Amino acid sequence: MTTPIAWEYYRSLLAVLRHGSLSGAARALGITQPTVGRHIAALEQELGVTLFTRSQLGLLPTEVALALRPHAEAMAHTAALMERAASSQGQGVSGVVRISASEVVGVEVLPGILAGLRERHPGLTIELVLSNKVHDLLRREADIAVRMLRPRQEQLVARKVGNIELGLHAHADYLARHGTPAELLDLAQHAIIGYDEASPFVRNAGPAFQGLTREHFAWRSDSDLAQLALIRAGAGIGVCQAGLAARDPALRRVLPQAFSLPMETWVTMHADLRGSLRCRATFDALAEGLRVYVASQSLT
């Protein structure tokens, strides 16, 4: 290789890996299919390797292509970060901020906080990534993350906002039909809403569940939003944030002395973003809004 390989070649490689075909990559990138094909062919020629083989299932990546994928993803993250940095230049708090949060927090708690933030700073564009996966701030998969565990990386700025309490809850209609359990052993007579596959959080919190395992559940889902919807529908007894349940007069706390699970809650961002007005304003708004939410639990 006598000249640097153009970035768009790697961008096309990543798109084909993600979408499995030249046509899918072209649609995602907003360019033509022949252009994507030329990029892949040029990259193979420059590197002297084969990146894809054709089969009845479409394009299959070779080991070389798979080995290049994390590096292409890192380039994509860096390019996105450069775009966000450029968009934030100018007067006031403006530009794009990408926030990662869990499903329930992102749907039930953050919208009110972020709506207030954007009323104050209408130049902000918010990208809200909802997933129970922990996004990597060091690789810039997000600018700011709301996490239910203490961050360990020294390169991150973190602020603890308190503990979000989890408890067993049920709809009043369900309890009227089936009765209220007086002790944990009574749960065997009830429809329990729980997980399908144990997540790292469930495994770490295992002792707190005191014998409640997958085999005991009448309803199984790995979606926290689905579990919350089932509780609200009166389907059974499940784990819910105490602060959320307090907002719904139809939900009742069950066995509060026997089951209580506090989750440390942190707002985190990369230390390099401390000088960004948009990220600083968003970080502070999230920390304050979540602090108020956590404090509201003590009023229930």
Side-chain angles (χ1 to χ4, degrees), residues 68-86:
L68 290 176
R69 179 167 186 161
H71 303 292
E73 288 177 335
M75 294 172 71
H77 291 317
T78 301
L81 179 66
M82 293 173 65
E83 292 175 4
R84 292 198 292 273

Side-chain angles (χ1 to χ4, degrees), residues 1-220:
M1 292 180 288
T2 58
T3 59
I5 298 175
W7 148 243
E8 58 262 30
Y9 295 175
Y10 290 107
R11 185 179 62 172
S12 292
L13 167 66
L14 183 58
V16 175
L17 285 168
R18 286 174 171 172
H19 299 280
S21 67
L22 297 179
S23 58
R27 286 192 297 272
L29 296 175
I31 58 180
T32 65
Q33 180 174 334
T35 299
V36 176
R38 285 195 297 271
H39 288 173
I40 299 301
L43 185 57
E44 288 179 327
Q45 182 176 357
E46 291 284 350
L47 296 176
V49 298
T50 299
L51 296 173
F52 296 94
T53 59
R54 294 187 178 276
S55 73
Q56 294 181 343
L57 300 177
L59 292 180
L60 297 180
T62 64
E63 291 185 2
V64 176
L66 294 175
L68 290 176
R69 179 167 186 161
H71 303 292
E73 288 177 335
M75 294 172 71
H77 291 317
T78 301
L81 179 66
M82 293 173 65
E83 292 175 4
R84 292 198 292 273
S87 70
S88 69
Q89 300 304 309
Q91 299 298 317
V93 178
S94 63
V96 179
V97 181
R98 190 172 181 85
I99 302 168
S100 170
S102 67
E103 291 179 342
V104 168
V105 169
V107 170
E108 298 284 344
V109 182
L110 295 192
I113 298 172
L114 295 176
L117 170 67
R118 201 172 178 285
E119 281 292 317
R120 297 190 296 275
H121 304 292
L124 281 176
T125 297
I126 305 294
E127 296 178 351
L128 191 55
V129 183
L130 302 187
S131 172
N132 291 334
K133 166 191 172 184
V134 176
H135 287 87
D136 193 339
L137 297 182
L138 299 183
R139 292 179 59 187
R140 307 299 171 84
E141 293 180 345
D143 297 318
I144 301 174
V146 178
R147 291 183 173 175
M148 303 307 176
L149 70 165
R150 184 187 184 97
R152 302 296 180 186
Q153 300 96 328
E154 294 182 357
Q155 303 96 317
L156 299 182
V157 176
R159 185 183 303 175
K160 184 179 178 181
V161 298
N163 293 330
I164 290 180
E165 184 184 4
L166 298 181
L168 293 173
H169 292 83
H171 195 282
D173 290 346
Y174 173 86
L175 297 177
R177 296 193 308 270
H178 300 280
T180 301
E183 57 183 26
L184 282 173
L185 291 177
D186 294 341
L187 292 177
Q189 309 303 318
H190 287 269
I192 306 302
I193 301 164
Y195 56 83
D196 185 26
E197 296 183 9
S199 66
F201 167 76
V202 169
R203 288 191 291 270
N204 291 336
F209 286 91
Q210 303 187 46
L212 287 177
T213 61
R214 184 179 185 276
E215 289 70 27
H216 298 93
F217 303 150
W219 300 90
R220 299 169 184 166

Side-chain angles (χ1 to χ4, degrees), residues 203-278:
R203 288 191 291 270
N204 291 336
F209 286 91
Q210 303 187 46
L212 287 177
T213 61
R214 184 179 185 276
E215 289 70 27
H216 298 93
F217 303 150
W219 300 90
R220 299 169 184 166
S221 175
D222 292 327
S223 168
D224 294 339
L225 287 177
Q227 292 184 26
L228 179 58
L230 287 166
I231 295 172
R232 287 171 169 165
I237 299 174
V239 176
C240 172
Q241 294 182 20
L244 290 184
R247 297 177 176 181
D248 189 338
L251 295 187
R252 303 285 186 269
R253 184 79 180 262
V254 175
L255 302 172
Q257 303 304 319
F259 184 93
S260 176
L261 181 59
M263 296 189 301
E264 284 192 357
T265 305
W266 298 77
V267 180
T268 62
M269 72 177 178
H270 197 287
D272 290 349
L273 297 176
R274 282 181 295 190
S276 165
L277 291 178
R278 74 190 190 284

